Structure formats: structure tokens, C-alpha cells
Amino acid sequence: MPQKPFQMSEKPDGPDGDASLLTKPKTNTQRPPMYKVMILNDDYTPMEFVVHILERFFGLSHAQAFEIMLTVHKKGLAVVAVYSFEVAETKVAQVMDFARRHQHPLQCTMEKE
């Protein structure tokens, strides 16, 4: 006797006679840790250069960049932005490379938030 073909409207029976075999496993996801990118003060890097760095690499307006530069100057450091690890690492490398190429001792670091 030939078997009847499986119809889409029929549900495969699980242990309780339901469609439990079709459920998705639960995933427990977490947000990745974030990292603060900071610029440190020194006595040699011109303020205008710091403003240029903030505008160029962090997309800040001139007013925002000037305000952060003053914070760096007065307090010794300032948090510029917060990113995922890879983005923060890239920003730090870009700033450090640009400062070195222009012969400035500017320091840019990152720290886990």
C-alpha cells in the first residue's frame, strides 16, 4: 500500500504530539564592552593641532573640538568618544600615526569603560 505524501498543513509530531522540533534554541547575547578614547595633555603639541585631530578623526564640529581641547589643556586629559574595541583601537592608531608624522608628542589612549 503506498504511503500518503507529507502535506504542508500537517505538522510533524514531537514527543507531545506538537511541533516542538521546529522551535529555535534560545541565544543569550551580550553587548560588547565599550572603550573610551582619550587624549592626553603635553607641553609641546599646539592647541590648533589638537583641534584639527578632533575634527578630522572624530568628526567633531570646530566648537566641540575646541571645547574638548580646552578640557585636555586644563585637566590633563579628556574622553573624546566611546567605541567598540576595534573602532577605538583604529582611532588611537590613526591619531598617534598622524601626530608622529607631524612630529608632535601627542598621546591618545583607550581604556575599557
Side-chain angles (χ1 to χ4, degrees):
M1 174 179 222
Q3 286 187 326
K4 154 176 134 178
F6 179 75
Q7 299 293 318
M8 290 302 287
S9 62
E10 294 178 27
K11 294 181 182 175
D13 291 334
D16 299 326
D18 62 0
S20 64
L21 296 175
L22 300 177
T23 59
K24 293 182 180 178
K26 291 182 181 179
T27 55
N28 192 10
T29 58
Q30 296 179 355
R31 289 186 170 265
M34 300 301 279
Y35 290 80
K36 299 182 284 190
V37 175
M38 299 172 289
I39 291 193
L40 303 153
N41 190 36
D42 64 70
D43 294 332
Y44 303 101
T45 305
M47 292 179 178
E48 298 81 21
F49 185 77
V50 175
V51 170
H52 178 70
I53 289 262
L54 295 169
E55 291 171 342
R56 179 176 177 148
F57 295 106
F58 297 96
L60 299 176
S61 69
H62 186 75
Q64 292 169 319
F66 192 82
E67 189 174 321
I68 290 175
M69 177 276 298
L70 284 179
T71 302
V72 171
H73 181 69
K74 292 176 183 175
K75 295 187 176 182
L77 71 94
V79 174
V80 178
V82 179
Y83 300 107
S84 66
F85 179 81
E86 291 82 7
V87 175
E89 186 177 49
T90 300
K91 295 288 185 185
V92 169
Q94 288 173 330
V95 168
M96 294 295 290
D97 181 57
F98 191 76
R100 296 298 159 265
R101 283 189 282 130
H102 289 84
Q103 300 178 349
H104 294 297
L106 183 68
Q107 293 293 306
C108 183
T109 63
M110 60 188 265
E111 176 181 293
K112 195 171 186 178
E113 194 172 40

